Amino acid sequence: MARRSGVSVATVSRVFNTPEVVSQQTRQLVLGIAAEVGYLPNESARTLATKKSNMVGLVWDTDHRRPGWRHPFLQDILVALKSALSAQGLHLLMLAPDPSPGPARFLRAVQRHNVDGVVIIDNGSRDPAVLALADAGVPCVALDLRFTGPACTYITSDNRGGGRQAARHLIERGHRRIATITGPMPTYPAVERLEGFTAALAEAGLTLAGAPAGDWYLESGYTAMKQLLDLDPRPTAVFAAGDEMAVGALRAVHEAGLRVPEDVAIVGFDDIEVATLIPPGLTTVAQDKTGIGTAAAEAITAMLGGAATPPPTVLPTELIVRGSA
Amino acid sequence: MARRSGVSVATVSRVFNTPEVVSQQTRQLVLGIAAEVGYLPNESARTLATKKSNMVGLVWDTDHRRPGWRHPFLQDILVALKSALSAQGLHLLMLAPDPSPGPARFLRAVQRHNVDGVVIIDNGSRDPAVLALADAGVPCVALDLRFTGPACTYITSDNRGGGRQAARHLIERGHRRIATITGPMPTYPAVERLEGFTAALAEAGLTLAGAPAGDWYLESGYTAMKQLLDLDPRPTAVFAAGDEMAVGALRAVHEAGLRVPEDVAIVGFDDIEVATLIPPGLTTVAQDKTGIGTAAAEAITAMLGGAATPPPTVLPTELIVRGSA
DNA sequence: CTGTTAGCGCTTTCAG
DNA sequence: CTGAAAGCGCTAACAG
């Protein structure tokens, strides 16, 4: 016991937790030997005693058969989340789902480790194992997933607003025959982007020239665009509800021997890295990835701090105009 | 205490740790009530008692001023790493560097949490805080970073071999005036890719037509390629040591009004997602991202299991031929 | 095979 | 302001 070095006992504990309650003098003393001896409080012991671990769990199902593992900009979110959490002295524990199956496979891991709260990044699935967390009263913040409950909140981009931005841009550019390629259809980002898009179209007296659904990935955008190109009259602009699909669409247009944006204008959604890399540059509705990560950290910290469950955060999107529309 | 429910005491512990030592009968009994009561062993208590946490730390410095945060295919590695670790019941703790600065900022976090080992993903930096881990004897496995020590090993792609593959491909295609855009120069992946590349060129009696250095990122590839295009005679093929730079190079070529691969062939390195997305498809030397993650998990598990420090793992690369060369 | 008994290192009343 | 003492839940000898 490093504490032996000094003269005190649990005063050491006070020095590290409630320094203001210790006399200037003994504080210095203790801090002195602590530095000297290289003393570090042991988190496990502390967790055992307090029931708080200073760890927030990350629920991210990396099962390749499920959608969450391939979140389009996880890395950006993660960086922001981790940085913001670190600033509060919180660590991020990537939870390994408990081996024994059943709806408690995340919950068990959470409980065993006394994780204080979790952030869920699951790209749209309604996994019972995730819902179990909410039911158990674990403070949760979900990303890109409506998720509510007494101790649950979520962070999302303004998908509806983003859809409108896309529509307005296309309309301003003079397009009248406009189509969209939606995301997988029961999912809420897909639904909201579509709603925003069609609403803005309607305001301009326009109606959708087509709306095949994709699955967010490139291939589906490619296929959907081919369908759209077969229409007669052919749409002059299409809004792909995700950048990967937009890239697929771009490819289909090129293969058809048409030009972007002259023959067909394309706008995407997300603003992932490829958007800048691919010629002629993808015009797209950008999500604020850093903002999402930061907001998630804030929401969690607030809840851990005992605050009331914060309301959902809806982050504004921004239209980035590049060459494709 | 859930154990009260039964009749036993620390036998419960045995049931969960060394079941073979408990009679079939009592085992069933204990397991029975455990399930009933929803008993879960508490990891903190267990860690406190054993000094082992079943957590491996991930050292990933997300400081935007440092290189590691933007590892090109972190997500793929992470998925593989986490899955493999999960299968062993190990969790991944993303370490928040300890707030007080100094070379022990990761080490302190590791010690406080009794993390069993760490994987370092730091894209080439020689951070004293990382070296401190090695010195302290923490089992380490580094990715893409030569890292040795009594309890340290690393996983890397065969950069030299990859360089050769690129060169051979270009030579086979009949190119004779061949240049390269290297990575940032003192870093070892940059050096090794270059070495492999020039060696294979030499075997064919060729010598480099130019070798400007980039910094892995797009912009630098663009700039470097412009230099190369100004050469007279102009190279007919260039090997960019990273895909992002290759995309930059591609752009420079297009802007110069030249065609890929007819006027200038380009091959990259990494095989990141854009390689497939960008027309005409980037021919590139693929790294085995999943293999890297899995190998890292294996190395760590081996060390934790008490095995001798495994030798470095060098994973083969694979040339993927697409449209650009 | 199964109890008993100490701790693991820290926090937390409760006195002083 | 600072000790003393009792636990947090589990593992690890050490007897039976």
Side-chain angles (χ1 to χ4, degrees):
Chain A
M1 261 182 178
R3 30 188 55 162
R4 252 74 243 255
S5 330
V7 233
S8 17
V9 190
T11 301
V12 172
S13 177
R14 297 191 179 101
V15 172
F16 284 91
N17 297 306
T18 43
E20 65 281 6
V21 111
V22 181
S23 80
Q24 172 74 31
Q25 182 174 262
T26 48
R27 196 191 316 164
Q28 299 293 234
L29 181 77
V30 173
L31 253 20
I33 11 194
E36 195 173 312
V37 190
Y39 167 78
L40 289 177
N42 177 316
E43 293 297 333
S44 312
R46 176 177 262 185
T47 299
L48 181 57
T50 57
K51 258 75 184 55
K52 302 183 59 282
S53 64
N54 283 350
M55 295 194 297
V56 348
L58 179 69
V59 170
W60 173 37
D61 200 331
T62 45
D63 183 331
H64 286 218
R65 293 157 306 190
R66 313 194 75 267
W69 78 276
R70 203 174 159 185
H71 195 286
F73 35 78
L74 176 69
Q75 191 162 341
D76 297 290
I77 293 179
L78 224 47
V79 168
L81 179 63
K82 173 172 171 296
S83 305
L85 251 25
S86 294
Q88 310 292 323
L90 295 172
H91 297 252
L92 235 200
L93 182 64
M94 299 184 54
L95 264 1
D98 190 285
S100 55
R105 65 185 199 281
F106 282 119
L107 182 55
R108 277 194 293 264
V110 164
Q111 290 174 159
R112 291 170 66 123
H113 288 272
N114 289 107
V115 160
D116 299 334
V118 316
V119 0
I120 296 158
I121 168 157
D122 203 23
N123 212 7
S125 84
R126 288 225 145 269
D127 186 334
V130 168
L131 298 175
L133 291 170
D135 292 340
V138 179
C140 297
V141 10
L143 305 185
D144 252 9
L145 179 67
R146 291 212 186 282
F147 201 72
T148 49
C152 300
T153 189
Y154 60 88
I155 317 289
T156 177
S157 284
D158 182 3
N159 289 303
R160 210 177 297 260
R164 304 185 85 93
Q165 288 175 315
R168 292 219 194 86
H169 177 70
L170 260 12
I171 293 167
E172 272 170 25
R173 289 287 215 239
H175 293 282
R176 311 291 300 171
R177 275 200 314 286
I178 305 179
T180 184
I181 300 172
T182 75
M185 231 11 204
T187 71
Y188 102 88
V191 172
E192 302 206 330
R193 288 172 198 180
L194 176 62
E195 285 178 1
F197 190 72
T198 46
L201 246 39
E203 283 164 17
L206 299 175
T207 124
L208 232 31
D215 63 5
W216 298 129
Y217 299 123
L218 189 140
E219 213 52 51
S220 70
Y222 176 83
T223 314
M225 184 51 115
K226 278 182 114 152
Q227 287 175 232
L228 256 17
L229 292 177
D230 283 343
L231 258 34
D232 184 19
R234 190 212 301 142
T236 66
V238 358
F239 165 52
D243 280 352
E244 291 237 0
M245 297 194 301
V247 173
L250 220 50
R251 179 173 301 175
V253 174
H254 284 137
E255 279 187 14
L258 299 170
R259 293 156 310 161
V260 174
E262 295 83 353
D263 300 314
V264 184
I266 294 183
V267 6
F269 202 113
D270 284 347
D271 195 33
I272 58 179
E273 190 183 26
V274 265
T276 74
L277 302 183
I278 203 160
L282 186 62
T283 292
T284 190
V285 178
Q287 296 201 54
D288 179 5
K289 301 141 192 83
T290 303
I292 293 175
T294 310
E298 277 166 10
I300 273 286
T301 345
M303 291 168 105
L304 299 193
T309 305
T313 301
V314 178
L315 292 156
T317 55
E318 181 190 1
L319 182 80
I320 310 265
V321 179
R322 286 193 267 255
S324 72
Chain B
M1 258 182 180
R3 29 188 56 161
R4 253 74 243 252
S5 329
V7 234
S8 18
V9 191
T11 301
V12 172
S13 177
R14 297 192 179 99
V15 171
F16 284 90
N17 297 305
T18 43
E20 66 280 7
V21 111
V22 182
S23 80
Q24 171 73 32
Q25 183 175 261
T26 48
R27 196 191 315 164
Q28 300 294 234
L29 181 78
V30 174
L31 254 19
I33 10 195
E36 195 173 312
V37 189
Y39 166 80
L40 289 177
N42 177 315
E43 292 298 332
S44 312
R46 177 178 263 187
T47 299
L48 181 57
T50 56
K51 258 75 184 56
K52 300 183 61 285
S53 64
N54 283 351
M55 295 194 297
V56 346
L58 180 68
V59 170
W60 173 37
D61 199 332
T62 45
D63 183 332
H64 285 218
R65 292 159 307 193
R66 313 194 74 269
W69 78 275
R70 204 175 158 183
H71 195 287
F73 34 77
L74 177 69
Q75 190 162 341
D76 296 289
I77 293 179
L78 224 47
V79 169
L81 179 63
K82 174 173 171 295
S83 305
L85 250 26
S86 294
Q88 310 292 323
L90 295 172
H91 298 253
L92 234 200
L93 182 64
M94 299 184 55
L95 265 1
D98 189 286
S100 55
R105 64 183 198 282
F106 282 119
L107 183 55
R108 276 194 292 266
V110 165
Q111 289 173 162
R112 290 170 68 122
H113 288 274
N114 288 106
V115 160
D116 299 334
V118 317
V119 359
I120 297 157
I121 168 156
D122 202 25
N123 210 8
S125 84
R126 287 226 144 268
D127 186 334
V130 168
L131 298 174
L133 291 170
D135 291 341
V138 179
C140 297
V141 9
L143 305 186
D144 251 9
L145 179 68
R146 290 213 187 284
F147 202 73
T148 48
C152 300
T153 189
Y154 60 88
I155 317 288
T156 177
S157 284
D158 182 4
N159 289 302
R160 211 178 296 261
R164 305 185 83 93
Q165 288 175 315
R168 291 220 193 85
H169 177 70
L170 259 14
I171 293 167
E172 272 171 23
R173 291 287 217 236
H175 293 282
R176 310 292 299 173
R177 277 200 313 285
I178 304 178
T180 184
I181 300 173
T182 75
M185 231 10 203
T187 70
Y188 102 88
V191 172
E192 301 205 330
R193 288 172 198 180
L194 177 61
E195 286 179 0
F197 190 72
T198 47
L201 245 40
E203 283 165 16
L206 299 176
T207 123
L208 232 33
D215 63 5
W216 297 130
Y217 299 123
L218 188 140
E219 213 52 51
S220 71
Y222 176 82
T223 314
M225 184 52 116
K226 277 179 113 156
Q227 287 176 232
L228 256 16
L229 292 177
D230 282 342
L231 258 35
D232 184 20
R234 189 214 301 142
T236 65
V238 358
F239 164 53
D243 280 352
E244 291 237 359
M245 298 195 299
V247 173
L250 220 50
R251 178 172 303 176
V253 174
H254 283 138
E255 279 187 15
L258 299 170
R259 293 157 310 162
V260 174
E262 296 81 352
D263 300 314
V264 184
I266 295 183
V267 5
F269 202 111
D270 285 346
D271 195 33
I272 59 180
E273 191 183 25
V274 265
T276 73
L277 301 183
I278 203 160
L282 186 62
T283 292
T284 191
V285 179
Q287 297 200 54
D288 179 4
K289 302 141 191 80
T290 302
I292 293 175
T294 310
E298 277 166 9
I300 273 288
T301 343
M303 291 169 107
L304 299 193
T309 306
T313 302
V314 178
L315 292 156
T317 55
E318 181 189 3
L319 183 80
I320 310 265
V321 180
R322 287 193 266 254
S324 72

